[in-house]
Amino acid sequence: MGERCCAAVRVLVLQAAWALAGGQVRYSVPEEAKAGTVVGRLAQDLGLEAGEAEARRLRLVAQGRRASVEVSGASGALLVSSRLDREELCGKSAPCALRLEVLLERPLRVFHVQLEVTDINDNAPIFPAARKNLSIAELTTLPGSRFPLEGASDADIGANAQLSYTLSPSEHFRIEEENSNSRSKSLFLVLTKSLDREAVPLHRLVLTASDGGRPSLTGTMELVISVLDANDNAPQFNQSVFNVYLPEDALQGTLVARMNATDLDEGTNREVRYEIDTIVPSSASDLFSLDTNTGEIRLTGPLDFEAVNLYDLNVKATDKGTPPLSGHCRVELEVLDVNDNAPEVWVTSLSVPVPEDASVGTVVALLSVSDRDSGANGRVRCWVWPASPFGLEATFAGSYSLVLREALDRERVSEYEVEVRAEDGGAPALRGRRGLRVAVSDVNDNAPAFAQAVYTVLARENNAAGAELARLWARDPDEAGNGRVSYSVWEGGVGGGWRPASSYVSVDAESGRLWALQPLDYEELQVLQFEVRAVDAGEPPLCGNATVQLFVLDENDNAPALLPPAGSAPEAGGVAGEAGSAGSAAAAAAGSGSVSGTLWAWAAWGAPAGQVVAKIRAVDADSGYNAWLRYELWEPRGKGPFRVGLYSGEVSTARALEEADGPRQRLLIVVRDHGEPARSATATLSVSLVEAAEAALAAAAGSSSSRSAAGAELGAGAASAATNVWLVVAICAVSSLFLLAVVLYGASRWAPRAAVLSGPGPTTLVCASEVGSWSYSQRHSRSLCVADGAGKSDLMVFSPNFPPPPPGPAAKDTQPEPSALLDTVSARPLLVSSRTQPFCSVSCAGSAGIQAQFPRPESDECLRVLKPISGTFASALRGNMEILRHPGAVIVRSCNLVL
């Protein structure tokens, strides 16, 4: 046996042709080659350089069954690793070709290698039995009679399996082979001379089978022939070969064939009994049953086309004569394939995770698909389900590559559940599937993004250094270091002061918390605008910016300051020396504040009530409600001859002045803001009571000489001249005011009431009084102004953008409907602000309502302004008007504007 293997190896022909069309390497090796036998220099045939096979990990990929070959990592040669038995690998199939897949990395490539295992004569012919018993009647069996024998079988193929038979020398028998239409030869024992039981009752012959190998191998079987007497007619079948076709899904009990044999004898010698003599393959002995009386052959087990597709049954019919005679026939059963095997999918290689920036065409996995059925039932088509960025590409028969068809995005899908489905061409079609889990690895492809592009932060002034102002947060959908964000104040931002933003605020690099580095001063800095940058830790790092607008809220940290008197004001006086003890006591009672000097003023005896004698002017460096000032008369208390305007600071007579009031009145006035706590300042006003002429001349003399002339007596001529001048001025002023009033009244009476001013620009109405001011802005506005207080202190400014439409039918036809006017009402409120006067603003935002803003909406002064507004709008608004309070605003709901 060893010599035959060595001879086969010596005649080994290396077939290493690189097939250009299919990309396949073919080798051949004889079976039974020793382990370590070199099949071929695979690395060299694949065009690899020395050492490249080991560096790129050249290896075989297993495909379900052992290939008995391996790739040497050092040399790249294809070696025999274990015993190669062609009969075990391929059976009777010729040629015996093994399909191997060779994997090469960096870059990933797959090659297909076909290894043909050639046959050697290593199997001797084998008979189904070592001994065969035959019974032949004497005399009645004529020369030339043939007795079928079961031939030997050889597991080899080709010439090694071509058998020839020889019979030991005998004058009565010879061996005859006959080629029929079947797939195998028929073997017969032919009687050449009549038998004589009395001469030789038993014949022992040796049948030898020799194959065509070099050297030839043989197998033997002993033939024991008993010579019988009497019954000289054997049963005869109506045909010698029965060809039967059954599908492999035939049920148990299916009729395979019905045998019919006849015997020319009579009586018991005519009765025939059937039996299965032999079955090829022998393992199918339990697959068929034969009724001995009827000759029906039925199926007793399942058929499998993929295991055995052809069965050969030798049926014998024996009569009941003495000796019994038999006839033989052959049943060839061919199994027809049905689609009973689903395709099978194997994953031979998987490269995961896949980076999200992998290019289109990247190979993710290698797959192998097969179907055990044949013909159309074995033709398979494959696809990927569900729809995903991956697709299949056929690389060879039954081999596929799972490749990337579209760009990946880990932030959208971090993992794919891919199912490779295979379907054959049978009817009905069968399917196979294999699931794959493909993870996507992250790359830094997303910059941090803030939740808002602009952050508005409110901070009170005089805050403590290190106080937290706000917390910023930027989201980066990447993972690990690519999604770890750090924050910083970008010096490229725009600050609200002369110093950089980093001198005012700082941001925590990890949490994004915004801290104040120093106390903020509203009077120095009202708005600070800067940018915060968020940078991730990826390579390269990506960043995002957000703008922060820091608004400093005013605190009441400044007391009111008295302004110096205007030199030309008739009611102004000079500033005297330091304040007295009464002023200090009033300031202490009013709250924190400052004390001013003394102011001088003059009033004439007999002056009527309401005459203004002086005006206290003050300013507060704060803003809003903290800068809203009110004036109070602290001394003298009770019913004195003077009073002070609560918000105007005007000192006027509360009643007619009398001589009993004395020559001089000393007034202590407290100026207080509306902050919490309130801050104040005090002013002392000294009012000298003189004659009317003296008061007029003192006023004309100016503030520089007012104190020195306060006690001097004026001449009668000067007083008379001053009186005449003031009478003329008064008469002209009254006449002018009367004429203006007549003109305005006539214009208002004759102007059309339904006229509406329209235009693209805003129309603004501003009303001011001693208790405050409010503005009303809309695109279609009526001439309307309401204020609480004396009419003489009201101020109305009305500035339309376009003149009123011309009178006539055309103008009346073009008057807009109320619904159209509702849509054109401006939603932008106007804010009238003053450091010395209270303020409020009212805006009508269409059907959303009227909004009024006040420094302190919960105060009574705001409601005093709002009440006349709501009362006036009652004729112009339809619905209920509701006044709601909340911090920073008073909302008037249900504003349905009808003009």
Side-chain angles (χ1 to χ4, degrees), residues 661-751:
D661 293 328
R664 180 175 297 177
Q665 290 285 331
R666 186 174 181 273
L667 306 181
L668 182 62
I669 300 172
V670 177
V671 183
R672 183 186 305 162
D673 59 24
H674 286 73
E676 288 294 340
R679 295 179 179 272
S680 63
T682 59
T684 302
L685 178 64
S686 179
V687 181
S688 300
L689 303 182
V690 297
E691 296 293 340
E694 295 177 0
L697 291 177
S703 59
S704 60
S705 59
S706 58
R707 287 196 300 269
S708 60
E713 296 183 359
L714 301 177
S720 177
T723 301
N724 294 335
V725 171
W726 285 110
L727 286 176
V728 173
V729 172
I731 293 173
C732 293
V734 170
S735 301
S736 300
L737 290 175
F738 177 78
L739 182 61
L740 179 60
V742 171
V743 172
L744 292 177
Y745 177 79
S748 63
R749 293 286 295 173
W750 291 102

Side-chain angles (χ1 to χ4, degrees), residues 105-174:
E105 296 183 353
R106 297 190 297 270
L108 181 64
R109 293 191 62 185
V110 62
F111 300 92
H112 299 275
V113 177
Q114 181 172 319
L115 178 61
E116 180 181 359
V117 182
T118 59
D119 184 47
I120 65 173
N121 193 21
D122 59 340
N123 292 281
I126 299 175
F127 285 93
R131 183 174 181 177
K132 176 73 173 178
N133 295 319
L134 296 176
S135 298
I136 302 176
E138 66 174 348
L139 299 178
T140 56
T141 303
L142 301 177
S145 299
R146 300 194 306 174
F147 302 91
L149 299 176
E150 185 175 1
S153 62
D154 195 327
D156 296 324
I157 61 173
N160 296 329
Q162 293 180 0
L163 304 180
S164 61
Y165 299 88
T166 57
L167 189 65
S168 59
S170 173
E171 63 177 345
H172 294 282
F173 298 95
R174 64 179 175 85

Side-chain angles (χ1 to χ4, degrees), residues 132 149 167 189 203-207 221-225:
K132 176 73 173 178
L149 299 176
L167 189 65
L189 180 65
H203 295 267
R204 292 183 179 273
L205 303 175
V206 176
L207 179 61
M221 180 179 64
E222 183 183 12
L223 298 177
V224 179
I225 303 170

Side-chain angles (χ1 to χ4, degrees), residues 851-875:
Q851 177 177 349
Q853 294 185 350
F854 298 90
R856 293 287 297 273
E858 67 271 13
S859 62
D860 295 335
E861 287 77 13
C862 292
L863 296 182
R864 291 176 58 190
V865 176
L866 203 58
K867 285 179 181 178
I869 294 175
S870 61
T872 304
F873 274 77
S875 61

Side-chain angles (χ1 to χ4, degrees), residues 837-858:
Q837 294 295 336
F839 69 92
C840 62
S841 67
V842 180
S843 64
C844 184
S847 60
I850 296 178
Q851 177 177 349
Q853 294 185 350
F854 298 90
R856 293 287 297 273
E858 67 271 13

Side-chain angles (χ1 to χ4, degrees), residues 125 210 236 299 320 359 368 400-401 487 535-536 544 556 574 580 596 634 669 689 754 778 803 820 825-826 877 883:
S210 303
Q236 297 291 326
L299 198 61
K320 296 182 179 180
S359 60
S368 178
Y400 294 88
S401 296
Y487 304 88
V535 183
D536 59 27
N556 191 24
S596 71
W634 190 261
I669 300 172
L689 303 182
Q778 63 175 20
V825 174
S826 172
L877 301 178
I883 301 176

